[in-house]
Amino acid sequence: MRTGKKRNPSFRTGVQIGVFALVMILALVKWLKDIGVTIPLLPEISLHAICPFGGVVTVYELLATGSFLPKLHSAAFILMALGLVVALFFGPLFCGYACPLGSYQEWIGKLGRKLFPKRYGKLIPPGLDRALRYLRYVVLAMVVYQTAVIGKLVFQEVDPYYALFNFMTGEVALSAFAVLFGVTVLSLFVERPWCKYFCPYGALLGLFNLIRIFPVRRKASTCIHCKKCDKACPMQIEVSTSGAVRDHQCISCYRCVSGNACPVDDTVTISSVKEAETHEA
Ligand code: SF4
Ligand code: SF4
């Protein structure tokens, strides 16, 4: 699969808005049902049923007892499996296009850029930023371990995604609201701070960048070194010095590719090793 044609950047924004609105509607319908108001034709689906990370943390429970963790649903498991298969081919496409919490941080970040143009992106010193980017693997290990030991959804207590969409239910712990508040404030100064430093699901999907079949690739022979790809990258990855982007933090947003940020056709593309070799020959 090669790219390079002019694409419409609003496609990604449209997907992000669509998924965000869908999750918000599903959460509202479920809450209304819980307080006795039924909306005809709209299904009642719990947020736990459509959270792929729920599928990850229930793997141990499923292997050990043959059943899902309380509140979880087979749909979360199917979504998790789907997310992993997609990641094997294209990396964390879920993060770049679908995750409502990722989109939320991005939109808050746009506001932050306008409000604090001199401070935006400069709050965390580069050395600390580099080290913090590995913190999410610690979070992932802790959440999976704690969930397996305790046998319930421990992450819900601090999950900003759960707080963002379930704030009206009275089920959200104060700690989750505090984390959501922290993520919101930090997003005014740092691009996607939850994704970069803390998200356990992003950590898991990010590992697929090391082996994905279709990575982002830069063709050195046509690159004009304008660094527009670097400037466009929300995760500050240096695409302009990479061959294939294998950075564990890539979120597959494709903002860097030719037709989006890169001004030269067929220079930053999404392609397999075989396609890249054919193209370079
Ligand atoms: S890293 Fe986490 S919060 Fe960020 S987009 Fe991916 S799943 Fe969502
Ligand atoms: S801009 Fe390119 S390198 Fe950066 S996260 Fe998006 S797809 Fe990955």
Side-chain angles (χ1 to χ4, degrees):
M1 184 186 123
R2 297 201 59 78
T3 64
K5 303 272 176 302
K6 273 276 172 222
R7 63 190 65 240
N8 184 357
S10 64
F11 171 73
R12 177 169 171 264
T13 310
V15 174
Q16 288 179 300
I17 293 172
V19 174
F20 192 95
L22 181 68
V23 174
M24 186 53 93
I25 289 167
L26 290 177
L28 281 172
V29 169
K30 170 81 173 66
W31 171 65
L32 287 171
K33 179 78 197 306
D34 288 347
I35 60 169
V37 182
T38 305
I39 314 264
L41 301 177
L42 287 176
E44 183 207 339
I45 299 174
S46 147
L47 277 194
H48 293 298
I50 53 164
C51 176
F53 188 58
V56 176
V57 292
T58 204
V59 167
Y60 176 82
E61 187 80 3
L62 198 60
L63 292 176
T65 67
S67 58
F68 295 103
L69 285 164
K71 296 189 181 177
L72 278 187
H73 195 273
S74 57
F77 201 72
I78 294 166
L79 281 174
M80 174 204 74
L82 195 66
L84 297 186
V85 171
V86 170
L88 182 60
F89 284 88
F90 299 106
L93 213 52
F94 172 81
C95 301
Y97 278 75
C99 176
L101 186 60
S103 307
Y104 172 77
Q105 293 168 85
E106 220 169 286
W107 298 331
I108 299 285
K110 281 190 177 148
L111 182 67
R113 268 203 174 92
K114 288 206 171 84
L115 293 177
F116 311 107
K118 291 201 176 125
R119 302 289 300 275
Y120 190 83
K122 297 194 177 83
L123 187 71
I124 316 256
L128 181 60
D129 170 72
R130 267 196 300 280
L132 283 177
R133 287 177 189 239
Y134 291 94
L135 187 60
R136 59 186 194 158
Y137 298 102
V138 178
V139 177
L140 174 64
M142 278 171 57
V143 172
V144 171
Y145 176 74
Q146 288 282 332
T147 310
V149 169
I150 298 173
K152 66 175 199 157
L153 290 170
V154 289
F155 188 57
Q156 184 181 308
E157 303 294 310
V158 290
D159 187 353
Y161 164 77
Y162 193 68
L164 182 61
F165 290 100
N166 263 354
F167 61 89
M168 62 294 195
T169 61
E171 280 179 19
V172 179
L174 261 181
S175 46
F177 277 125
V179 174
L180 177 62
F181 178 74
V183 169
T184 305
V185 173
L186 211 51
S187 296
L188 288 168
F189 301 95
V190 179
E191 198 146 12
R192 285 185 173 239
W194 176 260
C195 308
K196 272 181 193 147
Y197 306 139
F198 307 110
C199 180
Y201 191 51
L204 179 66
L205 293 182
L207 291 174
F208 283 84
N209 281 315
L210 309 180
I211 55 163
R212 61 194 270 191
I213 295 166
F214 294 103
V216 169
R217 281 179 197 280
R218 182 189 62 104
K219 191 174 159 197
S221 57
T222 51
C223 174
I224 57 169
H225 309 288
C226 64
K227 295 188 184 286
K228 287 190 175 164
C229 49
D230 298 351
K231 284 185 201 121
C233 180
M235 307 306 271
Q236 289 77 51
I237 295 166
E238 287 194 4
V239 182
S240 67
T241 54
S242 308
V245 173
R246 292 284 179 201
D247 193 296
H248 67 115
Q249 290 247 315
C250 174
I251 55 167
S252 299
C253 64
Y254 301 141
R255 271 159 60 167
C256 55
V257 302
S258 295
N260 285 343
C262 175
V264 188
D265 278 352
D266 273 340
T267 295
V268 181
T269 60
I270 309 149
S271 52
S272 66
V273 177
K274 204 168 162 207
E275 283 172 326
E277 282 170 358
T278 315
H279 191 65
E280 288 279 357

